[in-house]
Amino acid sequence: MTPFRAMHSAEAFCVSLAAPDDFEGWRDAARRLIQADVPPDRIVWDSPADHSADLFAQGERRLPAPPAHAPQPRASRDFVQYAKSAILHSDSKRFSLIYRLLWRLQAKPRLMEDKADSDVRSIDELARQVRRDIHKMRAFVRFRVIEEADGERYVAWFEPDHHIVRSNAAFFVRRFTTMRWSILTPRGSMHWDGEILQEGPPATRADAPAGDPVEALWRKYYASTFNPARLKVGAMLKEMPRRYWKNMPETSLIPELIAGAQAREARMVAAGGQDLGERPATLAGMAEAIRSCRRCAIGCTGTNSVMGEGPQTPVLMIVGEQPGDTEEQQGRPFIGPAGQLLRAHLQDAGIAIEQAYVTNAVKHFKFAPRGKQRLHQNPTAKEIDVCRWWLDGERALIRPRIVLALGASAARGLLGRTVSVQKERGIPNLLEDGSELWITTHPSYLLRLQDHGRAEEEQKFANDLHRVAARVSELSR
Ligand code: URA
């Protein structure tokens, strides 16, 4: 139980939390304090990382017991969500801010909807900074491999701004389940042995190894994916602030890559690549530009283009291959037979398709005429790569946290390389903006299968969608 110590003033209380991210401890204490009608300005909150101990008086006193039938405090769901994020912030005033909001919520239950309120704005900002730090850790942790008596261990050093290490651990467990790894940080460390996650004390950079073949791999990967035509130094620095660079092997290449970008771009153009210029800044602008896009042979057939559709700030984005005959005629993605199958499976998994932004790797229909029919043809790798410009643009505006690729063409459109769906399904990839990419088969593939083969593949498809649904609900909380 959280101990309460009295301050100099007889009616002021100090709450010592067990850890800087101790949401449960804060919640239990806050509940009792609200029930005992203790206003925010009579409480000092403290945790081992928050150094407010000198504010406390000697002597101990427990919190006054709340009246026997004191009602439970009221807390809206969005308040709880904000509180869970904001408590991870390193600002020592976070505990009192969250308590003040809880206190005020008792009289004004819809307070969180008031976006002009200064406390609401403050918690929103803290939560945003925490989310950004979580995202940075997921994107920028880099492992070095070391040999231990019982095998290899991957060790990473990371310096988070906030108390996010513990709450981020589950992500790394899921992503690197089969590896033995340690993530060392000045705020504490996490160790995974394939089965058990253990917490360790804060570490220093000297505790982490430097330099090994994992770095060489990252460097090679980064150099080959670096696209000079997309170089925007300002945007890159914003996403990847310089202070992270020192822990990321591939960033030693950045000055060199920037310096060589113009030359590489010139080579790309000479080799038949195109200067893609600026992308429209809105989805409507992009839809307009895609309509007249003639950068590849499919666009040149003059068929209707099909832009993505759905909410503009969804957690989930679904990417197919290209519009089919029905989609092309009606100008909407996934409304033909493959779309029906997809919708049914999404619904079984607990995802309404309207929750997701749905789009395709290629925006025009590629077909071969056969009498009155138009038979679907697969886009080539080059056509997918050319259309990637548009898919990247949609992702940059929509910023989904999870992307589901249906089939190998969609996966290529997202990763820029050939993908074996059977090998890469079930384990999420991390895209360069920190979103998770999940890969599964395309529903048209299922429609082409018969009998037992179809039942088996549909089951695997259903399993993949259930995994994605679980992640969507986790990240929507
Ligand atoms: N198949 C796709 O990949 N996308 C659609 O929109 C329809 C069918």
Side-chain angles (χ1 to χ4, degrees):
M1 173 170 302
T2 306
F4 296 91
R5 284 181 280 149
M7 298 178 61
H8 283 297
S9 154
E11 292 176 288
F13 296 91
C14 168
V15 185
S16 289
L17 298 171
D21 58 352
D22 181 10
F23 177 75
E24 279 73 30
W26 177 89
R27 188 193 50 205
D28 292 348
R31 235 180 231 154
R32 292 176 52 189
L33 287 157
I34 294 276
Q35 289 178 318
D37 207 23
V38 181
D41 59 358
R42 296 228 302 273
I43 309 165
V44 174
W45 299 86
D46 180 48
S47 91
D50 285 283
H51 315 302
S52 36
D54 52 342
L55 292 173
F56 303 150
Q58 294 92 28
E60 302 234 339
R61 205 180 81 186
R62 288 196 167 274
L63 186 71
H69 299 294
Q72 284 294 325
R74 284 196 276 192
S76 59
R77 191 196 289 214
D78 51 349
F79 164 78
V80 175
Q81 262 177 11
Y82 272 122
K84 281 184 174 169
S85 287
I87 208 151
L88 307 181
H89 202 280
S90 50
D91 184 338
S92 59
K93 294 196 280 299
R94 66 194 179 285
F95 302 122
S96 38
L97 168 68
I98 307 171
Y99 184 78
R100 192 161 61 244
L101 274 162
L102 181 63
W103 173 263
R104 295 180 57 206
L105 269 173
Q106 305 315 301
K108 191 176 171 191
R110 302 185 68 171
L111 173 62
M112 299 307 293
E113 290 166 28
D114 181 359
K115 299 299 174 204
D117 182 274
S118 71
D119 284 341
V120 174
R121 281 216 313 270
S122 300
I123 198 169
D124 186 57
E125 182 56 22
L126 295 193
R128 199 185 61 76
Q129 290 173 11
V130 164
R131 276 198 307 275
R132 187 170 159 80
D133 205 29
I134 287 176
H135 163 88
K136 291 274 183 279
M137 182 170 175
R138 293 179 180 184
F140 300 148
V141 152
R142 293 291 179 269
F143 290 103
R144 277 86 171 156
V145 70
I146 56 168
E147 286 300 330
E148 288 184 336
D150 45 355
E152 284 180 341
R153 173 172 289 274
Y154 290 80
V155 183
W157 168 249
F158 187 76
E159 294 170 54
D161 290 334
H162 305 293
H163 304 292
I164 56 164
V165 178
R166 194 174 313 151
S167 73
N168 227 352
F171 170 85
F172 290 95
V173 168
R174 266 193 313 274
R175 183 153 171 72
F176 302 111
T177 312
T178 55
M179 284 162 46
R180 298 166 68 241
W181 53 258
S182 295
I183 300 178
L184 311 180
T185 90
R187 295 175 189 268
S189 34
M190 289 287 157
H191 307 277
W192 172 252
D193 67 359
E195 286 179 5
I196 293 172
L197 182 70
Q198 286 186 316
E199 284 181 35
T204 64
R205 178 193 294 278
D207 298 325
D212 77 66
V214 178
E215 295 198 357
L217 264 182
W218 276 110
R219 281 211 191 94
K220 197 164 148 217
Y221 168 77
Y222 194 72
S224 67
T225 57
F226 187 87
N227 183 346
R230 296 201 214 134
L231 179 64
K232 284 213 174 68
V233 180
M236 188 163 85
L237 285 176
K238 190 157 168 265
E239 274 311 303
M240 192 195 287
R242 275 182 196 278
R243 70 201 155 81
Y244 292 101
W245 289 25
K246 58 186 183 294
N247 297 322
M248 298 176 65
E250 65 272 33
T251 50
S252 65
L253 292 175
I254 286 177
E256 195 186 312
L257 289 168
I258 290 176
Q262 278 185 327
R264 275 189 69 192
E265 185 165 7
R267 278 204 299 278
M268 266 172 66
V269 172
Q274 304 174 48
D275 179 1
L276 300 171
E278 284 292 308
R279 244 182 324 239
T282 61
L283 290 171
M286 263 205 284
E288 183 69 40
I290 289 171
R291 216 166 289 139
S292 53
C293 178
R294 300 289 179 264
R295 288 178 177 141
C296 79
I298 317 180
C300 296
T301 57
T303 63
N304 198 9
S305 59
V306 179
M307 177 70 175
E309 67 175 32
Q312 317 252 307
T313 52
V315 173
L316 175 65
M317 177 184 223
I318 300 176
V319 183
E321 180 193 72
Q322 60 169 337
D325 198 12
T326 319
E327 286 80 10
E328 190 264 351
Q329 288 175 39
Q330 300 194 28
R332 296 184 54 207
F334 281 108
I335 51 164
Q340 302 313 323
L341 187 63
L342 173 65
R343 280 157 204 267
H345 275 281
L346 285 171
Q347 200 172 5
D348 281 354
I351 302 175
I353 197 163
E354 295 74 27
Q355 273 174 252
Y357 182 87
V358 182
T359 192
N360 283 298
V362 171
K363 309 293 186 219
H364 285 87
F365 176 37
K366 182 174 181 182
F367 63 91
R370 185 73 50 82
K372 285 194 180 157
Q373 278 189 311
R374 303 191 298 172
L375 299 186
H376 165 275
Q377 287 199 311
N378 292 330
T380 62
K382 189 145 185 227
E383 287 158 348
I384 296 169
D385 292 348
V386 170
C387 221
R388 196 168 175 212
W389 166 253
W390 297 121
L391 182 58
D392 280 358
E394 283 177 297
R395 282 178 48 224
L397 290 175
I398 297 288
R399 300 185 71 87
R401 300 188 64 192
I402 300 180
V403 182
L404 171 64
L406 303 172
S409 299
R412 180 175 187 104
L414 291 153
L415 290 169
R417 63 172 170 81
T418 305
V419 172
S420 158
V421 173
Q422 296 301 351
K423 283 195 192 134
E424 300 197 31
R425 71 194 308 174
I427 306 166
N429 277 274
L430 200 60
L431 293 174
E432 73 297 335
D433 63 354
S435 54
E436 280 174 32
L437 169 65
W438 292 76
I439 298 171
T440 186
T441 44
H442 193 286
S444 301
Y445 163 71
L446 303 176
L447 289 173
R448 289 195 298 273
L449 296 173
Q450 308 274 332
D451 308 329
H452 184 60
R454 161 117 181 224
E456 207 172 289
E457 278 301 320
E458 267 202 74
Q459 187 54 55
K460 286 198 221 158
F461 184 66
N463 294 344
D464 288 344
L465 295 198
H466 274 88
R467 272 187 213 116
V468 170
R471 285 299 288 147
V472 170
S473 87
E474 242 173 274
L475 292 181
S476 310
R477 252 180 247 141

